[in-house]
Amino acid sequence: MKKIIFLLIATSLFFSSCGSSKRSKSFDSAKKTSVHKKSNKKIKSIISYAKTFNGTKYKYGGTTRRGMDCSGLIYTSFKKENVPLPRTSRSMASKGKPVSLKRISPGDLLFFRTNKNKKVINHVGLVVASGKNIQFIHASVSKGVTISSLNERYWNSCFVGARRIL
């Protein structure tokens, strides 16, 4: 009889200790979900803020509504959410993690080489829509701050790569 009681107690202790590992796992999952929600909120805010500059004229080195260049737009938009980035598109291209076009999502950065004589990144855009028609906001010399599509022949031919910052 004592052996049976001992086995029941030992078995119940074994099963109760197994249950605690499940709780920590779900806690970790909840923590990841919370972090994901925070970064989603930041991404939406960054995109929304960048869009407020739509129509702003192009100005080399500009970071205000009086004039904006491509990296200035990205730098300013991320800075508003306390996400530090370098000031130039070439330097931005080394931050975050590379991401394929198949996995691109809003908030990712697209990098371009628009000068065929130089093999350096000199343009950056912020993805605002993904899927078959990837759209990005950027500051172009001819149109100022505008939204373009990666499907456009010009931008597609200059595209170098994409990176995820958040």
Side-chain angles (χ1 to χ4, degrees), residues 80-91:
K80 184 177 183 301
E81 283 298 320
N82 297 313
V83 179
L85 280 179
R87 178 58 184 85
T88 66
S89 54
R90 190 179 315 167
S91 296

Side-chain angles (χ1 to χ4, degrees), residues 76-133:
T76 302
S77 300
F78 275 79
K79 184 179 178 184
K80 184 177 183 301
E81 283 298 320
N82 297 313
V83 179
L85 280 179
R87 178 58 184 85
T88 66
S89 54
R90 190 179 315 167
S91 296
M92 286 178 191
S94 65
K95 300 300 176 189
K97 294 180 181 179
V99 61
S100 70
L101 285 179
K102 289 179 183 176
R103 298 192 185 274
I104 205 90
S105 63
D108 292 340
L109 301 182
L110 302 178
F111 295 95
F112 303 89
R113 288 186 190 126
T114 61
N115 186 337
K116 298 299 179 195
N117 297 327
K118 295 181 181 178
K119 301 249 183 214
V120 295
I121 291 170
N122 64 344
H123 194 72
V124 61
L126 173 67
V127 175
V128 297
S130 57
K132 289 185 179 182
N133 184 20

Side-chain angles (χ1 to χ4, degrees), residues 121-152:
I121 291 170
N122 64 344
H123 194 72
V124 61
L126 173 67
V127 175
V128 297
S130 57
K132 289 185 179 182
N133 184 20
I134 297 170
Q135 294 182 338
F136 60 99
I137 189 165
H138 62 117
S140 76
V141 175
S142 60
K143 296 179 182 177
V145 177
T146 188
I147 294 177
S148 298
S149 171
L150 196 55
N151 290 345
E152 293 173 36

Side-chain angles (χ1 to χ4, degrees), residues 4 53 71 84 97 99 150 158 164:
I4 294 173
F53 291 97
S71 57
K97 294 180 181 179
V99 61
L150 196 55
C158 298
R164 181 160 296 151

Side-chain angles (χ1 to χ4, degrees), residues 25 27 39 41 47 49 60 66 74 126 131 144 149 153 160:
K25 216 176 197 181
F27 175 76
S39 68
K41 191 175 180 182
I47 292 169
Y49 187 66
Y60 180 79
R66 295 182 72 189
I74 306 307
L126 173 67
S149 171
R153 193 173 178 182
V160 176

